[in-house]
Amino acid sequence: MSDLEERPDRPRVVTIRDVAAASGVSIGTVSKVLNGRGKLRAETRARVSAVADRLGFRPNPLAQGLLAGRTHTIALIACDGFSRFSVPVMLGVEDFLAPEEISMFTCDTRDDPIRERHHVERLLARRVEGIVTTGRRAETRHGLGDLPVPVVHTVSRSAGPGDFSVVPDDRGGGALAVRHLLAAGRSRIGHITGPRRFLAAGQRAAGLTGALAEAGLRPVAEPLFGEWSEEWGRQAAGILLRARPDVDAVVCGSDQIARGVAEAMGEHGRKVPDDVALIGFENWEPMALGARPPLTSVDLNLTEIGRTAARYLLDAIGGAPPQGGVLTVPATLVVRESTR
C-alpha cells in the first residue's frame, strides 16, 4: 500500500469539495459561506453551514488567513542564543499569543548584524505580521530600519527613530534593594557590580546611591565595578572588607557576583545574613537558589516584559501602534535567606 492510499485506521479528512458536493453548490459558494463573504441567500448559507457541521469539516486556518491577508504569525529575534535573558521574554510573548491563536517563529542572530538582516528578510518573505527583538541587558541596540511590519524591542532599547522598546527597570531595582535593606536595619551598604561600560551596571548603581541619598546616607565605599562573575565577587568582597570592615550589607549587580561575595564573606569569617546581608540581581534561579544561603535577588520581570511587548505588538498589527519611546516594566524583589 502506498503512502498516498487511504489506510483503514486513518480517518479520511473532509475537504471543501466534499461539502460542496453534499450541499449541491460550487466550491466557490462554500468558500464564500465559510469566510462570510459574497452575496448569498440566507437559506444557502444555512444549508452549507449545516452540511459542513454534519460532515465535521474544519477549515484550514492558514488558507483562511491568506484569504483575509493575514498569516497569524509573528517572529522573535534574539541576539544571544536564547539565553536566560531571552527565554523568559519568549515565554511571556507565547503566554500572551496563545489565546489569540498566533504562532511565533524564533531566530538567533548571535549578535551578527548580517545574520540579523538575513533573518528579517526571510521572515518578511514568510509574511510575518510583526517582530519582537530581545537582547542581553538594558543596552542600546540599532533598529531594524523601515519595515512593512511593526516591531517591538525588548530588554535592549532601540536607537532607531520612532522605535518602541519595553525594558527592565534597572535603576528602580537598585533602589528597591536598598529600601529593603534599610527597612531591615542595615545602613552601611556597599555595592559590587559589573563593567562600568554596561548601561545596566550604571543604572543599578545610580538607583542604589539615589535611594541611599533619600535616606541621608551614602555607600560605605565607592561602587566597585568589575566583571559579571563569581571570581570578581570574591575579589571585590576582599577589597570592600579591607576598606570598610564595618560593612553590614552588600548589593551586587548580578547573582553571579553575589554568589562569589557570599563565598568570600565566609572565608573572611562573616556570616550571611547575620553579619552582612546580601542581595543579588536578575533572580537567575539556578544561581540564586544554589548559593549558601539562597540569595535575595532583584527580579527584572522579563516574562512580564515579553507579555507587554506582545500586547503592544498585537495592538500595532490591529492598527493602533504605540508612540515611539521606552516603556519601563517595574522590578520586584524576591526575598530569601541572605537578607532574612
Side-chain angles (χ1 to χ4, degrees):
M1 180 182 291
S2 76
D3 289 338
L4 296 178
E5 293 178 309
E6 286 191 29
R7 299 176 185 269
D9 59 344
R10 180 182 297 173
R12 181 177 177 278
V13 176
V14 178
T15 68
I16 192 171
R17 188 181 301 276
D18 298 324
V19 176
S23 303
V25 298
S26 68
I27 293 175
T29 298
V30 175
S31 177
K32 290 177 182 178
V33 170
L34 297 176
N35 290 289
R37 300 159 67 117
K39 294 181 179 180
L40 298 172
R41 295 166 58 186
E43 52 267 36
T44 301
R45 289 188 183 277
R47 184 173 77 256
V48 172
S49 296
V51 169
D53 289 342
R54 176 170 57 80
L55 295 179
F57 176 72
R58 296 291 179 268
N60 183 316
L62 177 58
Q64 283 190 312
L66 291 174
L67 285 171
R70 295 199 59 186
T71 61
H72 298 281
T73 59
I74 66 107
L76 183 139
I77 300 177
C79 72
D80 58 350
F82 300 106
S83 72
R84 58 192 173 91
F85 296 101
S86 294
V87 169
V89 174
M90 180 179 69
L91 294 177
V93 173
E94 286 186 329
D95 283 349
F96 193 88
L97 293 180
E100 305 295 330
E101 297 186 348
I102 293 178
S103 300
M104 178 170 65
F105 294 106
T106 56
C107 304
D108 173 30
T109 70
R110 304 177 199 174
D111 234 359
D112 180 351
I114 296 176
R115 186 183 294 271
E116 180 178 78
R117 176 50 53 186
H118 170 76
H119 282 317
V120 169
E121 290 173 355
R122 298 289 293 177
L123 291 166
L124 292 177
R126 289 177 176 271
R127 299 180 62 186
V128 297
E129 297 185 55
I131 296 173
V132 174
T133 74
T134 184
R136 286 191 184 89
R137 286 190 172 88
E139 306 304 309
T140 300
R141 58 154 291 150
H142 62 274
L144 295 183
D146 186 16
L147 299 184
V149 298
V151 178
V152 176
H153 301 276
T154 68
V155 184
S156 297
R157 64 194 67 199
S158 173
D163 283 357
F164 179 70
S165 307
V166 184
V167 302
D169 188 4
D170 288 288
R171 182 184 294 265
L176 190 65
V178 166
R179 293 182 185 123
H180 173 71
L181 292 171
L182 294 176
R186 312 291 175 135
S187 59
R188 298 183 298 278
I189 300 171
H191 186 45
I192 300 173
T193 191
R196 193 185 295 271
R197 68 181 182 274
F198 280 84
L199 177 63
Q203 289 184 332
R204 293 168 191 183
L208 176 140
T209 55
L212 285 172
E214 289 175 2
L217 300 171
R218 299 179 61 185
V220 293
E222 287 298 312
L224 295 170
F225 292 89
E227 299 300 324
W228 304 110
S229 69
E230 292 182 58
E231 179 58 31
W232 166 240
R234 286 188 287 269
Q235 294 176 11
I239 296 170
L240 180 59
L241 286 172
R242 286 192 292 274
R244 290 299 302 265
D246 60 336
V247 62
D248 65 7
V250 181
V251 176
C252 299
S254 76
D255 294 324
Q256 288 173 283
I257 293 172
R259 187 161 169 169
V261 171
E263 292 177 5
M265 288 296 171
E267 293 169 359
H268 286 81
R270 306 299 174 88
K271 293 182 179 180
V272 177
D274 298 357
D275 302 318
V276 180
L278 187 60
I279 295 181
F281 227 103
E282 294 162 4
N283 194 33
W284 184 19
E285 288 194 346
M287 188 66 61
L289 295 177
R292 291 293 177 267
L295 297 170
T296 292
S297 185
V298 176
D299 192 320
L300 296 175
N301 287 328
L302 297 177
T303 301
E304 183 58 32
I305 286 174
R307 293 191 194 99
T308 302
R311 174 164 56 86
Y312 276 95
L313 186 68
L314 292 194
D315 286 347
I317 291 171
Q323 297 296 318
V326 177
L327 175 67
T328 302
V329 173
T332 55
L333 191 71
V334 179
V335 178
R336 300 189 180 96
E337 284 81 350
S338 68
T339 60
R340 285 176 179 158

